[in-house]
Amino acid sequence: MPFVIRPWSELAQSYNGTILLGNGASIAVSSRFAYRSLLECVRQRESLAEDARRLFDFFETEDFELILRIVWQASNVNKFLQIEDARTHEAYVSVRDCLIQAVRDVHPEHHEVSGQLPCIYDFLKRFDTVISLNYDLIVYWVMTYGLDIPDRHKFKDCFLGRGVFAEDWQRLRAPYGGEQSSTLVFYPHGSLVLCRNRVEQEHKIHIRGAGLLESILDRWRSEEVVPLFVSEGTYKQKVNSIQNSFYLSTVYREVLTEPRESLVILGWGMGEHDVHLLKRMAGTGIQRVAVSVFKRNQAYCCRATQLIKDNLGQDVRIEFFDSESPGSWNNPLGNQ
């Protein structure tokens, strides 16, 4: 018997807690995000130096952030100890420049997606928690778009003042000032807007509006910071990277394990390399899960049902909705 796939409007009133966004959400905004991996993009360009390619093989990873951080730290140590080693710095520059070019190749500019931000804003503001697995700037641009909307709703990523993450992030759920409601946003795998400096301090890059992407790439070129995001890797590699970051490990330990009754999953393929996220949500009280389905894919419904029940419990109610239905993500309400 086929799975029933409903319009989002039939489920919306029952789901206002947590939403988890996967890469399919970004692909719906721009097809440029439909790439296999950043490293694959670079390999196609054949622009990565031999030393840099060997580093990926030696550490058995496709995670650009990890390799960039390793050679950046090694280069900084050599510089501080006045060790002449141009080869390490050249490897760092090669990895960094290839990462910058890969991001430029796959990431759209603000003006290319700005027309979709109002729909996404209206969709996301119904949730009290957004968990985005994507390191791109879509959700961040939605947040900055909301700064100009006089609806007394506030998106908060819990990075305060000088861009430092609030350890007591839970207090930010309470409205303050003229707010009537709020949504907290988290990035379990990091984001382009996040970085760390030479002494492993983590912060957010603050530039509002259309110039953010280029400002981020400029910060990378400065050699003062490296990006904080987990781009690729196996389940074990991702968990190791998460544990090496204060922000990522806080999201993993505290945010994912928060009590919640409902969960919406949109654009997430539920691959084995990300199943640790569902495992962390086990025991949080989830009673019902709504899952988006692209092109009414029944095989995906079957796989999603099995993974959710295996990790969240056999009694969890699972419902499916059409990812392209009116009001869902970037689809206008009037789109019939």
Side-chain angles (χ1 to χ4, degrees):
M1 183 176 179
F3 292 90
V4 176
I5 302 172
R6 296 182 172 89
W8 167 247
S9 59
E10 294 185 9
L11 304 182
Q13 295 306 311
S14 299
Y15 292 90
N16 59 6
T18 298
I19 183 168
L20 188 150
L21 302 174
N23 192 50
S26 296
I27 294 173
V29 173
S30 173
S31 60
R32 289 169 63 177
F33 288 118
Y35 54 88
R36 183 177 175 183
S37 72
L38 285 176
L39 185 57
E40 189 64 28
C41 293
V42 170
R43 283 172 173 159
Q44 290 176 0
R45 296 174 61 92
E46 297 183 350
S47 55
L48 198 60
E50 177 62 26
D51 278 355
R53 287 199 298 269
R54 290 167 61 188
L55 286 169
F56 282 94
D57 294 337
F58 178 79
F59 288 100
E60 297 181 345
T61 185
E62 293 192 350
D63 188 347
F64 252 107
E65 189 272 344
L66 173 62
I67 298 301
L68 185 61
R69 178 159 48 95
I70 288 171
V71 292
W72 180 65
Q73 290 171 335
S75 181
N76 283 332
V77 169
N78 289 339
K79 187 183 300 182
F80 178 77
L81 296 178
Q82 298 182 334
I83 298 172
E84 293 187 11
D85 183 13
R87 190 172 178 181
T88 302
H89 186 260
E90 288 169 2
Y92 158 71
V93 171
S94 174
V95 176
R96 182 200 67 196
D97 289 351
C98 285
L99 177 58
I100 288 173
Q101 189 58 55
V103 170
R104 272 216 184 96
D105 287 346
V106 304
H107 204 296
E109 296 290 342
H110 182 271
H111 71 271
E112 297 178 82
V113 302
S114 58
Q116 301 178 60
L117 301 182
C119 287
I120 300 175
Y121 175 85
D122 288 338
F123 174 72
L124 288 182
K125 75 177 185 178
R126 71 176 301 108
F127 301 99
D128 61 31
T129 305
V130 173
I131 298 174
S132 177
L133 305 183
N134 307 322
Y135 60 83
D136 59 65
L137 302 176
I138 302 302
V139 172
Y140 187 83
W141 280 336
V142 170
M143 293 173 61
T144 57
Y145 165 82
L147 295 175
D148 297 324
I149 304 299
D151 61 359
R152 304 181 75 180
H153 184 85
K154 184 70 175 292
F155 282 84
K156 309 172 188 177
D157 59 15
C158 305
F159 283 85
L160 305 176
R162 300 168 73 178
V164 178
F165 181 68
E167 295 184 38
D168 57 345
W169 58 269
Q170 294 92 338
R171 68 177 173 82
L172 297 176
R173 290 204 180 278
Y176 63 86
E179 295 173 16
Q180 288 186 338
S181 57
S182 63
T183 299
L184 299 192
V185 176
F186 301 96
Y187 305 99
H189 293 160
S191 168
L192 292 179
V193 300
L194 306 181
C195 65
R196 50 181 142 199
N197 62 21
R198 292 185 178 94
V199 292
E200 297 290 290
Q201 293 173 327
E202 301 169 353
H203 63 273
K204 184 175 75 171
I205 298 171
H206 276 293
I207 295 289
R208 183 180 171 187
L212 178 60
L213 181 58
E214 195 57 39
S215 296
I216 289 169
L217 302 183
D218 283 343
R219 289 298 303 278
W220 294 357
R221 276 190 292 263
S222 73
E223 302 192 17
E224 295 176 354
V225 300
V226 286
L228 176 57
F229 68 89
V230 183
S231 59
E232 313 293 340
T234 64
Y235 156 72
K236 288 185 178 180
Q237 289 169 340
K238 285 189 174 181
V239 172
N240 286 338
S241 294
I242 287 168
Q243 292 173 340
N244 286 324
S245 160
F246 170 74
Y247 170 73
L248 300 184
S249 62
T250 300
V251 173
Y252 190 65
R253 289 191 325 268
E254 299 179 8
V255 177
L256 295 182
T257 58
E258 259 197 313
R260 52 178 57 88
E261 292 185 3
S262 68
L263 174 66
V264 174
I265 296 174
L266 189 143
W268 186 32
M270 295 194 198
E272 289 297 325
H273 55 289
D274 283 332
V275 75
H276 59 282
L277 300 165
L278 281 180
K279 292 182 184 297
R280 292 299 292 177
M281 294 186 187
T284 60
I286 295 175
Q287 300 173 15
R288 60 191 183 279
V289 180
V291 184
S292 73
V293 184
F294 183 62
K295 301 300 183 185
R296 312 189 75 81
N297 186 332
Q298 290 288 315
Y300 174 75
C301 294
C302 184
R303 187 172 74 254
T305 298
Q306 188 66 51
L307 272 173
I308 291 170
K309 288 188 174 293
D310 286 348
N311 289 281
L312 299 183
Q314 296 298 313
D315 296 330
V316 174
R317 178 182 179 183
I318 303 172
E319 302 177 284
F320 296 98
F321 66 95
D322 184 350
S323 64
E324 298 177 297
S325 58
S328 170
W329 189 234
N330 63 338
N331 301 290
L333 278 169
N335 184 22
Q336 302 295 331

